[in-house]
Amino acid sequence: MNGKAATRGEARTRLERGRTALGPALELVHTGRAPTRAVLTAELGVTRATAGAVAAELEALGLISVDAGPSAAAGSQGRPSHRLSVAGSGPVALAAQVHADGFRAALVGLGGHIVATAPGCETIDADPAQVLGTVVEEGARLLRETGRRCVGAGLAVPSAVAEPEGTALNPLHLAWPAGAPVREIFADCVRRAGVVGPAFTGNDVNLAALAEYRHGAGRGARDLLCVATGHRGVGGALVLDGRLHTGSSGLALEVGHLTVHPEGRPCHCGSRGCLDVETDPLAFLTEAGVEPGPEGLLNQARTLLAEHYADPAVRVAAEALIDRLGLGLAGLVNILNPDRIVLGGLHRALLEADPERLRAVVADRSLWGRSGGVPILACTLDHNSLVGAAELAWQPVLDDPLGALA
């Protein structure tokens, strides 16, 4: 082989290697793990020239920005590395969330950045097609107003979503029929609204856990357990080595039906005293002797906890929920042995109200809690289920940027 042919062969090999690295490189920038080209080079295990070519191609696709003239940090030596960030005006995913107190649509860019949101109504129709059609139209309106390119759409629902059918098995707090084909309905609404890209659907707490793992309080964890109570009920999710553990058919981690108060309230699952009915916003209001108001159960419960914690009735109610939540978390720690727990919704507010009490209950009732303790943190992302819904739509782009955007 002559010299020119060898050079062309090396260039072709470098190009192929670079294109193979596009997806992993984009995910590193997306999750904040490659803030500079030097870090990108090290994480990918490629040459500096290949990393530069990868960054340039992602920039040409409108996905990231490369700062070509960064300043060196004070006291640093050597040539400073180019800084990498997600493109501020790049494509977005349409994210939608439906819950017991309403719905919300949003546009979410790379990095989990929410570009625009549109809150919806406070009453959810019993017909899922009616609700999903409305929320998708709100998202389509945001796309028209911003003029952003859309890579796809994701939906978060407060129900287990069976795979591979995409049916909502137990959307009890929405009064939707069991087994509603939400993925099919959502995809049809997306097409009808003229939104470009594939459509995905998932459980809201699963998606919140994915968002927190990539962009929030779960960053750096290997086995992340997320437990949250939103507007009604309690959900759980487990992220193992970057992937959601959803079980054989998408139904894993229904932690809301752990019994934590055997003589407690009847649960819709047929048991009594489940986390679902003992530690959600309605349970807190009931324990405190407060009637539900018009502002939504979660907002009312958070406000009561934040503004009236000194009230003995509110404090006793909060302590009762903390003890039951701690008992449930201890059981999950014994079974799953996570290296981090993040709490969302009202559970986040309970943790912040009395962190030592909750951590003490978990440590006292779990084998692994006693031996070293499992960090229990509050979720840090606003609208993490929306961000997680967008992650579903972004995943094909992270897997194959060139193919997804062709």
Side-chain angles (χ1 to χ4, degrees):
M1 180 182 293
N2 61 39
K4 289 184 178 180
T7 301
R8 284 196 299 269
E10 291 170 1
R12 186 162 51 250
T13 300
R14 186 165 57 247
L15 177 62
E16 290 171 356
R17 186 184 299 121
R19 286 185 171 168
T20 302
L22 283 178
L26 182 60
E27 183 164 341
L28 287 166
V29 178
H30 171 62
T31 56
R33 290 179 291 150
T36 68
R37 202 168 70 183
V39 175
L40 183 68
T41 302
E43 289 287 337
L44 293 177
V46 298
T47 65
R48 191 165 66 181
T50 298
V54 167
E57 188 146 13
L58 291 175
E59 186 175 37
L61 289 170
L63 296 172
I64 74 169
S65 295
V66 180
D67 183 353
S71 57
S76 63
Q77 295 182 351
R79 185 170 61 182
S81 180
H82 293 54
R83 295 201 62 81
L84 308 177
S85 60
V86 298
S89 57
V92 294
L94 190 161
Q97 181 182 11
V98 178
H99 52 73
D101 290 334
F103 63 73
R104 183 179 293 270
L107 304 182
V108 184
L110 282 168
H113 300 309
I114 295 179
V115 173
T117 62
C121 66
E122 295 181 357
T123 303
I124 295 299
D125 194 279
D127 179 6
Q130 178 67 37
V131 179
L132 297 182
T134 304
V135 72
V136 169
E137 280 298 334
E138 285 297 307
R141 179 180 61 81
L142 292 175
L143 285 170
R144 290 192 297 271
E145 290 176 353
T146 60
R148 303 289 277 268
R149 178 179 182 178
C150 184
V151 299
L155 168 68
V157 292
S159 167
V161 177
E163 298 295 348
E165 301 88 354
T167 55
L169 290 189
N170 59 342
L172 299 173
H173 301 304
L174 300 179
W176 288 358
V182 289
R183 181 174 299 149
E184 179 182 332
I185 295 170
F186 182 61
D188 184 59
C189 292
V190 167
R191 285 192 297 269
R192 288 174 181 271
V195 176
V196 176
F200 304 87
T201 304
N203 168 263
D204 54 0
V205 179
N206 275 354
L207 299 182
L210 183 61
E212 291 289 339
Y213 178 85
R214 289 183 174 178
H215 308 294
R219 272 183 174 175
R222 189 185 67 179
D223 300 336
L224 176 70
L225 172 65
C226 176
V227 176
T229 174
H231 299 261
R232 288 294 305 276
V234 174
L238 184 66
V239 181
L240 300 175
D241 290 323
R243 297 289 178 183
L244 279 169
H245 174 70
T246 56
S248 61
S249 56
L251 309 180
L253 272 292
E254 280 291 309
V255 305
H257 300 291
L258 287 172
T259 299
V260 293
H261 186 32
E263 307 303 320
R265 301 172 178 84
C267 181
H268 46 261
C269 73
S271 188
R272 300 185 73 90
C274 297
L275 272 177
D276 213 53
V277 293
E278 295 292 341
T279 66
D280 78 343
L282 181 60
F284 177 56
L285 296 174
T286 302
E287 285 281 343
V290 176
E291 289 291 325
E295 65 268 42
L297 295 172
L298 180 57
N299 288 336
Q300 185 181 5
R302 280 172 166 166
T303 300
L304 181 67
L305 190 60
E307 298 181 2
H308 302 282
Y309 191 63
D311 184 319
V314 174
R315 189 180 187 92
V316 168
E319 290 175 347
L321 262 71
I322 287 170
D323 290 348
R324 294 169 197 161
L325 173 61
L327 183 61
L329 292 178
L332 291 168
V333 167
N334 287 338
I335 295 168
L336 301 173
N337 188 27
D339 61 356
R340 193 177 310 176
I341 299 171
V342 295
L343 302 179
L346 181 62
H347 292 167
R348 168 183 172 176
L350 290 169
L351 172 65
E352 291 170 343
D354 196 342
E356 295 310 314
R357 185 183 186 96
L358 179 60
R359 291 180 177 125
V361 173
V362 175
D364 185 58
R365 301 300 290 268
S366 62
L367 294 171
W368 317 129
R370 289 186 201 146
S371 67
V374 181
I376 304 175
L377 307 175
C379 288
T380 58
L381 300 177
D382 292 329
H383 309 304
N384 51 17
S385 291
L386 275 173
V387 174
E391 290 296 310
L392 294 181
W394 272 113
Q395 193 59 52
V397 182
L398 297 174
D399 292 338
D400 180 10
L402 280 173
L405 297 179

